[in-house]
Amino acid sequence: MALSIRHLLGLEGVPGEDITTILDTAATFREILKRPIPKVPTLRGKTVVNLFYEPSTRTRISFELAEKRLSADSVNFSTSTSSVKKGETLRDTIRNIEAMNIDMVVVRHKASGVPLFLTQCVNAAVINAGDGMHEHPTQALLDMMTIRDHYGSFEHLKVAILGDIAHSRVARSNIYGLKRLGAKVRLCGPQTLMPLHIEQLGVEISHDLEDTLAWADVVNVLRIQLERQNKGLFPSVREYRAEFGLTRARVAKAKKDLLILHPGPMNRGLEIDSDVADSQQAVILDQVTNGVAVRMAVLYLLSGNEGKVED
Ligand code: NCD
């Protein structure tokens, strides 16, 4: 039942058995979350710090809720990066973590590599909640849980990841996790939003959305990261939607049971139309529900608690 990893920095290199263990454990926790009192004493006595150096709504709330449901003690350390010099902040933070005897750290930072850096400085188990354009492993795990609920397994499943791949840590973690469990992954979007050499990860690349939708069993629609778009990587929002927006008309021509995911937050009317986002095929709110269960599973499995899920 134990994982082979001590920290969750990304899904790159994580064995398939570990991913499956996390998804199976999350399924158990999801049952607990349906109870009238959705709380277990599993992490009583453990202390978790949530370090969010970047804006976040659902990921932060989801981790906080997961910690509360497991009866962990948690503290939140949010800071606005704009006013603080990064080096100073991190050093201060590390000192705090050491002084407070924290068991686990959940960290989000705009700079790739900060979670790895933390593992070199503190004894606590580190969970990456999104670092720069690198990885966002718990998001990919909750995406995978949602996909597995519908298709049962990943073997030969065709998953398209649509849109702003270049800026997306979600895409990278999805690629590693899905490929590890046997899915076929195709990236679709404008050439300017594809990272260089990404095909080396064993993914297909397409610039034709209609063809991709005819191929795919699942489409994971990424947010156009307008805050990172200062380089004129596509001509206009209108043009992007015309070429790559997930519209009702396009979904109508896709496979009938195409499953639609979006990690949120959505730009409705840009990468995804409102009626598509709210349709039966979209499982966007299931993803959010699964997010709490997945984070409970990761916290539990990395906590070093040998006990059962329920004491
Ligand atoms: C993602 C993130 O922050 O990387 N969102 C999330 O965690 N739910 C994707 C995004 O910001 O578009």
Side-chain angles (χ1 to χ4, degrees):
M1 173 87 155
L3 299 181
S4 70
I5 50 172
R6 196 170 108 60
H7 308 280
L8 184 65
L9 304 180
L11 292 189
E12 182 178 11
V14 174
E17 296 75 31
D18 282 355
I19 296 177
T20 304
T21 300
I22 294 170
L23 298 183
D24 291 346
T25 309
T28 311
F29 280 126
R30 188 170 54 190
E31 290 312 305
I32 290 169
L33 290 172
K34 288 184 189 152
R35 293 180 187 166
I37 300 174
K39 192 164 172 137
V40 282
T42 316
L43 291 194
R44 203 159 47 196
K46 296 277 179 188
T47 309
V48 187
V49 62
N50 302 307
L51 298 178
F52 278 78
Y53 289 94
E54 218 191 39
S56 167
T57 312
R58 77 211 74 213
T59 305
R60 186 174 50 79
I61 292 175
S62 182
F63 268 109
E64 285 179 26
L65 205 54
E67 291 150 11
K68 287 188 175 26
R69 300 301 193 217
L70 290 169
S71 309
D73 294 317
S74 62
V75 277
N76 298 323
F77 186 110
S78 308
T79 172
S80 110
T81 28
S82 55
S83 57
V84 192
K85 281 211 191 95
K86 200 166 53 199
E88 278 177 4
T89 308
L90 269 178
R91 206 173 305 130
D92 275 352
T93 307
I94 290 161
R95 286 208 191 102
N96 277 290
I97 294 168
E98 277 169 348
M100 291 188 291
N101 262 333
I102 303 269
D103 298 295
M104 286 195 269
V105 180
V106 176
V107 60
R108 166 168 289 200
H109 202 287
K110 68 171 183 182
S112 304
V114 164
L116 173 65
F117 177 63
L118 280 177
T119 64
Q120 293 157 357
C121 311
V122 296
N123 280 323
V126 176
I127 300 171
N128 179 5
D131 62 331
M133 296 188 272
H134 176 229
E135 285 223 39
H136 190 355
T138 56
Q139 177 67 47
L141 288 165
L142 72 90
D143 293 345
M144 291 177 74
M145 183 176 188
T146 311
I147 294 170
R148 197 177 74 162
D149 285 343
H150 282 261
Y151 285 102
S153 98
F154 298 97
E155 206 58 50
H156 307 304
L157 195 70
K158 293 174 178 154
V159 182
I161 305 178
L162 171 62
D164 188 352
I165 316 290
H167 297 100
S168 180
R169 50 199 178 203
V170 176
R172 232 166 292 266
S173 291
N174 262 276
I175 293 169
Y176 291 126
L178 288 164
K179 296 269 315 164
R180 175 72 68 201
L181 291 195
K184 293 193 168 76
V185 179
R186 183 192 283 205
L187 310 179
C188 180
Q191 183 63 42
T192 48
L193 294 179
M194 289 290 167
L196 277 179
H197 311 305
I198 191 79
E199 65 286 346
Q200 289 174 0
L201 298 183
V203 293
E204 293 176 27
I205 313 278
S206 166
H207 308 299
D208 183 337
L209 179 53
E210 278 169 33
D211 179 68
T212 297
L213 292 178
W215 169 88
D217 302 307
V218 179
V219 61
N220 198 344
V221 188
L222 301 174
R223 181 174 69 90
I224 291 295
Q225 305 206 2
L226 294 167
E227 75 276 21
R228 298 192 216 252
Q229 295 289 348
N230 49 7
K231 303 185 205 113
L233 293 174
F234 54 88
S236 71
V237 158
R238 202 159 59 96
E239 192 150 327
Y240 182 86
R241 181 180 178 274
E243 283 275 327
F244 294 105
L246 196 63
T247 60
R248 171 64 37 220
R250 288 193 167 122
V251 173
K253 284 197 237 156
K255 279 191 186 168
K256 218 166 77 255
D257 50 359
L258 176 74
L259 195 69
I260 300 167
L261 285 81
H262 192 306
M266 289 185 269
N267 295 305
R268 287 174 181 258
L270 204 182
E271 71 266 0
I272 188 165
D273 277 5
S274 243
D275 51 2
V276 174
D278 299 330
S279 69
Q280 287 289 324
Q281 280 164 270
V283 285
I284 298 164
L285 292 177
D286 295 342
Q287 289 173 266
V288 178
T289 305
N290 290 339
V292 179
V294 156
R295 285 165 182 132
M296 287 172 79
V298 170
L299 286 159
Y300 164 65
L301 291 166
L302 293 180
S303 69
N305 258 11
E306 299 295 304
K308 290 195 301 203
V309 166
E310 297 175 77
D311 268 350

